[in-house]
Amino acid sequence: MKLRLLSFIILLVSILPVMAGDGSSAQSPLTVSQALVKKNNQKSYYVSGYIVGEYRDYSNNKHFYYLAPPFDGTSAYLIADDVDEMDLSRMMPVQIKDYVDNYNLDENPQYWRKQLTVKGTLTDYFTLPGIKNLTDWIAPAEPLDDESQYWNFYETFETKKAYTPAGEQMYSGGTYTSSETCRWEFAGATYGDSSNDMKWDNAAAHLRLTQSTSGEPGYICMLDDKPDGIGYIRLWAARYKEDKGAASFGIFLSNDQGESWETVQTGIAIEKELTEYQFKIMRPGTWRIKIAKTDPSANGIDIDNIHISDYYTLSAVTATSTEATTRLWGTQGTLCFEASQPVNLRIHTLDGTLVSEQHIAGHGSLPLPAGFYLVSTPTSTVKVVVR
């Protein structure tokens, strides 16, 4: 037993640099959070993370980026440790121009939400801690399921002539007939294109109260059904620039053409600056959504860039890509791997004892004592014999 324990300790020590992720190789990359700690030190490291979106521009002290389709095909990715990350401060922009410019997301949307490992210099990029001057690139391996195919419903409220007021009063409501998605009912709301409206480009939906300073909280809701279910809802929201007080909003669902509404989440505090929010729904069927103010104040809020994905199963997507690209086998004293897509491994003995956890990419091997092992990826477990 002591000899077995000593062998296990020696094994852990021998592979500790790989497990720690020191950024020295593709088999030992830094996570995004680790790279952010080392930010802007002008040194070169391997870094691994999920491609969560693209960075478009920085101007007037504002970051412009997309975390959901449609993508423009810019020269920079955004990567993060969490595939569903929404906070820009937990992401890093990666410069792909010149080195791998043909991998932009408008031409290769299948890379969105897939894991990427790069080697480059940690330096300022778009005023953020980023990665530039790439010298190595391990792209997500084909074939990959294109998750962007499930994100076809989006609304930007960019066309002013598409909004038809229901009356002369600004907040009497109206109808927005979108060329992108569907018709939207505005109630206690108006088309927000003033300089004080917080918006992405030209306009947003501006919600207040049905009588402007009194009445019921305003809302916007779909007047047409979305037939392919709802996976995620993402939207941007902020308080109207001149209004200093607190405000909140909620998300509601209807599967009976708007006759009744189910509360998904309510009382969500609105920030001063434009902030992106995500709601995981995962409901098959036919639905409409409503976005409403949920506080009685006269403070205005702006809603913009609404993206709604179809209902789809993420585990099926993951299984397709990972199983096709990871190969494992044992030789004399080593576990060999061939992984053209970065993947996490968990190595157990047959009695279930965890030996180690590894993050692998490319071709390589890990030292292991002779024996039988169960090696797991996120989607499968295989038995490996090390002689």
Side-chain angles (χ1 to χ4, degrees):
M1 174 63 86
K2 289 183 178 180
L3 181 59
R4 181 181 178 185
L5 179 60
L6 179 60
S7 299
F8 180 65
I9 292 172
I10 293 173
L11 170 65
L12 288 180
V13 171
S14 68
I15 63 177
L16 186 58
V18 175
M19 297 175 66
D22 61 7
S24 62
S25 69
Q27 289 74 43
S28 182
L30 298 175
T31 64
V32 173
S33 58
Q34 287 175 319
L36 285 170
V37 172
K38 297 178 180 291
K39 60 182 180 180
N40 309 332
N41 68 2
Q42 303 300 316
K43 295 181 180 180
S44 184
Y45 296 92
Y46 279 92
V47 182
S48 184
Y50 291 98
I51 302 169
V52 295
E54 67 177 12
Y55 206 111
R56 194 180 81 182
D57 195 12
Y58 177 80
S59 63
N60 298 321
N61 297 316
K62 184 178 178 181
H63 300 283
F64 292 89
Y65 57 97
Y66 295 131
L67 300 184
F71 296 114
D72 285 345
T74 66
S75 61
Y77 284 161
L78 283 168
I79 64 171
D81 292 331
D82 185 347
V83 72
D84 287 321
E85 185 59 70
M86 305 292 289
D87 187 343
L88 186 61
S89 68
R90 296 193 182 101
M91 305 176 194
M92 298 188 80
V94 178
Q95 184 185 50
I96 62 173
K97 186 178 181 180
D98 299 330
Y99 190 80
V100 284
D101 200 30
N102 60 326
Y103 283 93
N104 54 53
L105 290 179
D106 70 328
E107 296 176 356
N108 295 277
Q110 70 273 18
Y111 296 137
W112 181 52
R113 296 172 62 86
K114 305 304 187 297
Q115 199 166 27
L116 171 74
T117 299
V118 298
K119 184 180 183 181
T121 304
L122 302 187
T123 186
D124 280 336
Y125 189 32
F126 290 112
T127 75
L128 297 170
I131 306 171
K132 298 177 67 175
N133 307 317
L134 300 187
T135 57
D136 199 2
W137 165 277
I138 303 173
E142 303 287 359
L144 294 171
D145 194 329
D146 176 10
E147 290 188 53
S148 70
Q149 67 183 296
Y150 307 110
W151 292 74
N152 298 309
F153 189 106
Y154 61 95
E155 183 57 68
T156 60
F157 302 112
E158 287 301 291
T159 309
K160 186 171 185 178
K161 65 181 180 181
Y163 180 67
T164 304
E168 295 183 0
Q169 299 299 316
M170 181 176 292
Y171 295 98
S172 59
T175 303
Y176 186 87
T177 303
S178 174
S179 60
E180 299 170 337
T181 55
C182 67
R183 295 173 301 143
W184 293 83
E185 178 186 357
F186 281 48
T190 190
Y191 189 77
D193 61 351
S194 75
S195 59
N196 287 317
D197 280 299
M198 303 296 286
K199 51 194 183 294
W200 259 90
D201 290 309
N202 298 315
H206 179 76
L207 284 58
R208 201 172 282 273
L209 299 176
T210 51
Q211 304 298 322
S212 181
T213 58
S214 62
E216 298 299 315
Y219 64 84
I220 57 173
C221 70
M222 294 165 55
L223 289 174
D224 301 299
D225 290 334
K226 183 181 181 306
D228 298 315
I230 295 179
Y232 291 85
I233 298 173
R234 289 181 173 179
L235 60 87
W236 289 80
R239 296 198 302 267
Y240 185 70
K241 188 178 293 184
E242 288 190 342
D243 293 334
K244 308 302 181 183
S248 63
F249 75 102
I251 301 292
F252 306 86
L253 293 179
S254 174
N255 61 357
D256 57 7
Q257 291 75 52
E259 292 295 322
S260 60
W261 294 93
E262 171 190 347
T263 301
V264 173
Q265 196 166 340
T266 188
I268 306 161
I270 293 281
E271 302 294 333
K272 178 181 178 182
E273 302 296 333
L274 271 172
T275 302
E276 191 165 14
Y277 299 82
Q278 175 171 280
F279 307 90
K280 187 174 182 180
I281 308 299
M282 294 302 168
R283 302 274 193 94
T286 298
W287 298 91
R288 298 183 186 185
I289 72 162
K290 177 196 288 186
I291 304 167
K293 260 177 65 75
T294 54
D295 68 277
S297 75
N299 295 319
I301 66 173
D302 290 306
I303 304 293
D304 202 4
N305 274 25
I306 302 168
H307 291 76
I308 306 174
S309 77
D310 298 340
Y311 169 79
Y312 65 104
T313 305
L314 287 173
S315 59
V317 174
T318 303
T320 300
S321 60
T322 304
E323 284 300 301
T325 60
T326 304
R327 184 167 158 260
L328 302 162
W329 69 97
T331 61
Q332 187 72 36
T334 61
L335 168 69
C336 299
F337 60 82
E338 181 180 303
S340 49
Q341 178 182 350
V343 66
N344 293 317
L345 294 183
R346 290 172 62 87
I347 304 171
H348 294 82
T349 59
L350 294 185
D351 63 5
T353 302
L354 179 64
V355 176
S356 70
E357 296 182 73
Q358 304 289 329
H359 181 83
I360 64 170
H363 302 265
S365 62
L366 303 170
L368 282 177
F372 294 86
Y373 297 92
L374 297 176
V375 185
S376 301
T377 69
T379 58
S380 69
T381 300
V382 298
K383 185 177 179 180
V384 176
V385 180
V386 176
R387 296 189 297 276

